[in-house]
Amino acid sequence: MISLSDIRKTYITGDAELPVLKGINLSIESGDFLALMGPSGSGKSTLMNIIGCLDRPTAGTYMLLDRDISKASEEELAMIRRDRIGFIFQAFNLIGRISVLKNVELPMMLKGLPRDERKSRALKLLESVGVSHRADFSPQNISGGERQRVAIARALANNPEIIIADEPTGNLDLKSTEEVMEILSGLNREGRTIIMVTHNPEITKYCNRVIRMRDGRILDQSSVEQS
Amino acid sequence: MKLYDILDLISIGFKADRFKTLMSSLGIIIGVMAIVVMLSVGEGIYSGVSSQFSTLDLDIIHVIPGRFSFGGPPARSPEEPAKFTDKDTKLLENIPGVKNVAPQTSAGVIVSFRDKNASATLIGIDPEKEHDLKSKISQGRFLTESDHTSIVIGSGVANGLFRMKISPGNRVRVYYEDGHMDFRVVGVLREEESSGIRAGNINTQMYVTHKAMKELLGRENYYYGTFQVTVDDPESVDEVVDRIKLDLERYHKDEAYDATTARDMLSSLMSILSMIKYALAGIGAISLVVGGIGIANVMMLTVKERVREIGVMKALGATTRDIRLQYLLEAGLLGVVSSIIGIALGIAVSFAIGSLAGLPSAIKIQSMLIGMLFGALSTIVAGVYPANRAAMLDPIEALRSE
Ligand SMILES: Nc1ncnc2c1ncn2[C@@H]1O[C@H](COP(=O)(O)OP(=O)(O)O)[C@@H](O)[C@H]1O
Ligand SMILES: [Mg+2]
């Protein structure tokens, strides 16, 4: 499903070149729930952004769903993000000036779905993550755990097969972490592929694979047998 | 992304930031208002003046001492103003094509009636030459050559100047500088529509013979202030003007004098009007530019504020085009709404000017459309740069920003 070969990313700031990814080889199968771990600054977010088609590698080949992403246009990348990928961020990244419901509708708006269809689907999604009672709230007026669940609903809006979650529980308390992980785990059982960055070894129990990175390289991969 | 969805998102932003929205649209509102007022008042004055054009006396030439100037500062010339006398009357009468020459001398005076004073304009005339004035008598009679202590007054003097009406047979006293004279009112003129073109308002004027005028002014040498020359054929009026200027040279070689027609006055007036129009247009244009800069500024601020939001939108699959369209429309909508407000205010101001300043104003649908067009255009132009900045944001940078 996802295949990265010798992916490199070098940031150029002023005159200095900063190699962040130094040859990543990784393949992810459909239905994987993968945890990406590693110290801060090791390039996890950079790799996630490349997998999520938000960023392009400086070198290497990235195959996603049998397509060579390195050759896709901006427009095509935007379409892939809209229809095939759902993003969940540590900072939630809900849009504060529109309601919770509108936030969930946004990806469907971008897709051009009719108003009624979009609204009922958004409500259903909010219900499935247990925050439908917050639909008309501003995201600023709900708790962190609720925000992340709204963000999950939004990520699911266009029914993507891949979910990219960059430290989704990084800002959450224990209880919310558990709730969010249960939801993600359920999505994985539905067949969605999830790639998640985390610093919390506890929650890797939900994953079937753990990958460790250091200094732009993958250290080791371990597969967790699922019971 | 569908248009109404974008508009929906934009209107949420407007509502959330009412004050900022209003402040950013102020320049455009004022600009559009200025344009609508300019067009309406300009149009109104223009059509008012044009309608007067047809009623102008096209067969009359005014000959004056000094240089003719209309509107702007009085033309100053090194020469003395010409001293017109009966010699000039004769000379003018002898020019071919001239039907009548009416010499006039006017002065600002104080008129006193039953111990109350008011100021008015007194004009010395030759009764035999003033056929037009004579025909305007509504009460009493017109002056005759031999009248020395008789006066004819305009309807405004008769009815409006004093609490009591002045009628033929009443006596008035007229003061000029240190002297004064008593007159008996013999006639009252009928009320005339005041015309912007004619010098002075006939309703507030009073008429006596030159003989009486000379005595009142108490001058050794009495000169005429103007000649109203009537020509036989209005078509030949320009030739007669040229001839007058040429012939007067004989007696007034080193003195200043001028001859003009109503048509000349009209064209000077028109050029002043177009100057006013351009000035108003300039104000409109400047405020639109300022307004455009204001909108661009506010849009830049908005884009800065929403960097993270724009990054999120991109992560969710918004294309460069989606974002650009959103911010262009945001500017455009701001422009359309501001323009509508500007047009409404412009109409109100035009009406106010019309009724307060007595200027006619004509609000045409074209004026509103032009205001709308310029308002919307300047905001869209102002929106292009911020919208591009928003569209070109790198989503990674945008999401990393705090
Ligand atoms: N857009 C960028 N420009 C310059 N340097 C960047 C950029 N994005 C990330 N970096 C740098 O790349 C390194 C890896 O960043 P990141 O992928 O966010 O690491 P992690 O998510 O593992 O903490 C860091 O040193 C960071 O400063
Ligand atoms: Mg990171």
Side-chain angles (χ1 to χ4, degrees), chain A residues 11 49 54-55 74-75 77-79 81-83 85 87 89 91 93-99 102-103 106-115 118 154-155 158, chain B residues 1-2 4-6 8-14 16 306 308-322 326-327 330 394-397 399-400 402:
Chain A
Y11 284 114
N49 289 337
L54 259 179
D55 205 356
E74 286 298 324
E75 203 97 336
L77 290 184
M79 288 245 294
R81 291 198 297 270
R82 191 187 69 190
D83 300 340
I85 297 170
F87 281 94
F89 305 91
N93 279 337
L94 298 174
I95 294 175
R97 61 196 186 89
I98 61 178
S99 70
K102 274 256 151 49
N103 265 278
L106 259 182
M108 296 183 269
M109 274 191 191
L110 289 169
K111 200 172 178 175
L113 251 58
R115 198 180 282 252
R118 185 172 91 193
R154 184 178 68 182
N158 288 329
Chain B
M1 207 163 172
K2 284 190 179 136
Y4 63 75
D5 288 331
I6 301 181
D8 197 26
L9 282 182
I10 292 169
S11 66
I12 291 172
F14 283 173
R306 296 197 199 149
R308 208 179 170 85
E309 170 184 327
I310 293 164
V312 174
M313 290 288 282
K314 286 199 163 177
L316 297 180
T319 59
T320 319
R321 248 189 37 227
D322 287 329
Q326 183 191 333
Y327 286 90
E330 183 154 345
D394 176 9
I396 308 294
E397 299 277 353
L399 284 170
R400 273 161 61 95
E402 227 1 89

Side-chain angles (χ1 to χ4, degrees), chain A residues 87-95 103 139 142-152 154 166-172 180, chain B residues 308 312 399:
Chain A
F87 281 94
I88 301 167
F89 305 91
Q90 176 178 7
F92 319 124
N93 279 337
L94 298 174
I95 294 175
N103 265 278
I142 61 177
S143 73
E146 286 170 332
R147 285 183 202 179
Q148 199 57 300
R149 284 186 276 162
V150 172
I152 293 172
R154 184 178 68 182
D166 195 344
E167 300 189 44
T169 60
N171 283 355
L172 299 182
V180 162
Chain B
R308 208 179 170 85
V312 174
L399 284 170

Side-chain angles (χ1 to χ4, degrees), chain A residues 189-209:
Chain A
R189 279 196 299 275
E190 282 171 13
R192 284 180 232 267
T193 308
I194 303 179
I195 305 156
M196 175 182 75
V197 171
T198 185
H199 287 296
N200 182 354
E202 277 287 297
I203 64 173
T204 58
K205 67 179 180 213
Y206 295 96
C207 307
N208 69 329
R209 289 175 70 189

